[in-house]
């Protein structure tokens, strides 16, 4: 189990850093079109953890802000030892 800087606990699937679908979702993300992030987080976390992440960042007014989700995604992607050790030849 890993934890983001805001305290969200999650577990990534084994081999996630070598998943071509995830790479495609990352390349689909741009400043103009962040929709790839939704696909990336859903695939990376699975439906239950994705829902839990949204609840974790939900504001008291009920909003789930894009900035909060981006911050959590960056934390998650940076925390994984597989990401740190990833080599395209692996």
């Amino acid at each position: 189990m890993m934890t983001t800087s805001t305290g969200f606990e999650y577990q990534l699937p084994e081999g996630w850093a070598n998943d071509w679908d995830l790479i495609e979702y990352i390349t689909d993300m741009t400043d103009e079109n962040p929709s790839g992030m939704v696909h990336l987080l859903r695939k990376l976390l699975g439906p239950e953890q994705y829902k839990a992440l949204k609840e974790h960042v939900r504001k008291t007014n009920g909003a789930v802000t894009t900035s909060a989700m981006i911050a959590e995604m960056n934390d998650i992607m940076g925390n994984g030892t597989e990401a740190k050790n990833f080599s395209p030849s692996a």
Side-chain angles (χ1 to χ4, degrees):
M1 203 57 110
M2 295 190 288
T3 307
T4 65
S5 60
T6 64
F8 178 70
E9 292 185 346
Y10 63 96
Q11 186 168 352
L12 298 178
E14 188 173 323
W16 71 270
N18 200 21
D19 185 324
W20 189 255
D21 288 331
L22 290 175
I23 300 299
E24 288 181 329
Y25 295 146
I26 291 169
T27 60
D28 287 345
M29 289 186 300
T30 65
D31 289 337
E32 297 83 32
N33 182 13
S35 65
M37 183 175 72
V38 174
H39 299 294
L40 173 69
L41 285 172
R42 282 183 179 160
K43 180 159 179 68
L44 190 61
L45 297 175
E48 293 302 316
Q49 288 188 118
Y50 179 75
K51 181 179 175 182
L53 176 60
K54 285 178 57 179
E55 291 308 312
H56 176 76
V57 300
R58 191 173 301 281
K59 303 289 183 196
T60 54
N61 68 358
V64 175
T65 64
T66 302
S67 58
M69 290 296 283
I70 289 171
E72 292 294 327
M73 181 192 68
N74 288 338
D75 231 4
I76 290 167
M77 297 298 290
N79 274 343
T81 54
E82 286 186 63
K84 293 174 187 169
N85 298 326
F86 177 68
S87 167
S89 61

